[in-house]
Amino acid sequence: VQMTQSPSYLAASPGESVSISCKASKSISNNLAWYQEKPGKANKLLIHSGSTLQSGTPSRFSGSGSGTDFTLTIRSLESEDFAVYYCQQYNEYPPTFGAGTKLELK
Amino acid sequence: EVQLQESGPGLVKPSQSLSLTCSVTGYSITSNYWGWIRKFPGNKMEWMGYISYSGSTSYNPSLKSRISITRDTSKNQFFLQLNSVTTEDTATYYCARFGYDGTYYYYYFDYWGQGVMVTVSS
């Protein structure tokens, strides 16, 4: 299953809200996870099952979608949110990842 | 707290084998499933394979003939061996733990190591 993320790059300011899209090449039900990647740190699981927040994920993060179209939304950006975000499907083997979206400070 | 840490050589010659260790603290590898994932330059990520709590393994078909994942339960470590490497195996390699809801295991990953960069070059 091919996962297509957009945009590849996103610039925003603290306090703004942003959305990242992830599209699957075929239906994956709600078997989608979102991760945050920061330099020098372990990747962090933010959301699984399309919209279920992992323990410890701030409530300003939300996930939506099912089937082929998914969205990660971050409301009221904080400085710690500037990072790279990946989606990953686990409906079919092997699991596959999107190419990432880099969220940078405007 | 669950922590994973990859270790191994940062430079491997073409045609040789790449060997990495994932050391786990805070959780026993005789529980859950444990996987290897790599990220190529340019950020494409690839699932490589797993070893289960019982020692069973499964590999990405794209790597099946070259990959082996083993473990040492006494040290709470698991290992990746990738044979006959080429420059296309240059990547950052991550170990990670499968998600688990108390009933089922899932192919998403709730704990990751920081990753180790491996360059394949002569």
Side-chain angles (χ1 to χ4, degrees):
Chain A
V1 180
Q2 308 263 17
M3 305 301 294
T4 303
Q5 265 184 259
S6 62
S8 303
Y9 170 87
L10 186 55
S13 301
E16 292 183 349
S17 294
V18 297
S19 292
I20 299 169
S21 170
C22 182
K23 294 184 185 293
S25 60
K26 60 194 292 187
S27 178
I28 58 170
S29 185
N30 67 338
N31 294 313
L32 185 102
W34 290 97
Y35 302 94
Q36 180 189 67
E37 177 189 87
K38 289 184 173 181
K41 292 193 171 183
N43 289 351
K44 182 181 179 183
L45 172 67
L46 298 172
I47 288 168
H48 64 85
S49 306
S51 60
T52 302
L53 263 60
Q54 177 70 358
S55 175
T57 301
S59 59
R60 62 182 180 275
F61 289 86
S62 64
S64 63
S66 66
T68 60
D69 291 347
F70 299 84
T71 302
L72 172 69
T73 300
I74 314 171
R75 293 181 290 104
S76 300
L77 279 167
E78 298 194 6
S79 58
E80 65 205 47
D81 299 335
F82 293 95
V84 180
Y85 293 88
Y86 292 91
C87 62
Q88 178 232 322
Q89 70 81 22
Y90 53 95
N91 191 65
E92 286 195 7
Y93 187 81
T96 48
F97 294 81
T101 295
K102 187 172 186 179
L103 176 58
E104 283 202 348
L105 184 62
K106 187 187 289 182
Chain B
E1 181 187 5
V2 181
Q3 292 188 320
L4 295 84
Q5 180 68 58
E6 306 87 350
S7 59
L11 181 64
V12 180
K13 293 187 186 314
S15 80
Q16 293 188 344
S17 293
L18 178 163
S19 296
L20 299 175
T21 298
C22 182
S23 300
V24 180
T25 56
Y27 201 88
S28 172
I29 65 167
T30 59
S31 298
N32 213 316
Y33 286 64
W34 304 87
W36 287 97
I37 298 151
R38 62 181 177 177
K39 185 177 75 171
F40 298 103
N43 287 350
K44 175 179 161 65
M45 295 183 78
E46 179 182 58
W47 160 255
M48 299 183 74
Y50 74 69
I51 188 162
S52 77
Y53 54 85
S54 67
S56 64
T57 56
S58 179
Y59 305 128
N60 190 321
S62 68
L63 297 167
K64 195 163 187 178
S65 61
R66 297 198 293 135
I67 188 174
S68 176
I69 299 175
T70 57
R71 65 179 184 170
D72 183 337
T73 57
S74 67
K75 294 182 178 178
N76 216 38
Q77 295 175 329
F78 63 103
F79 312 102
L80 170 70
Q81 181 170 317
L82 187 65
N83 300 321
S84 304
V85 298
T86 71
T87 55
E88 294 189 355
D89 293 309
T90 293
T92 298
Y93 288 76
Y94 299 91
C95 55
R97 190 184 81 167
F98 276 49
Y100 178 57
D101 65 3
T103 303
Y104 299 107
Y105 298 100
Y106 295 92
Y107 276 90
Y108 61 79
F109 312 105
D110 61 357
Y111 287 95
W112 295 63
Q114 292 189 13
V116 59
M117 188 179 298
V118 178
T119 300
V120 179
S121 175
S122 54

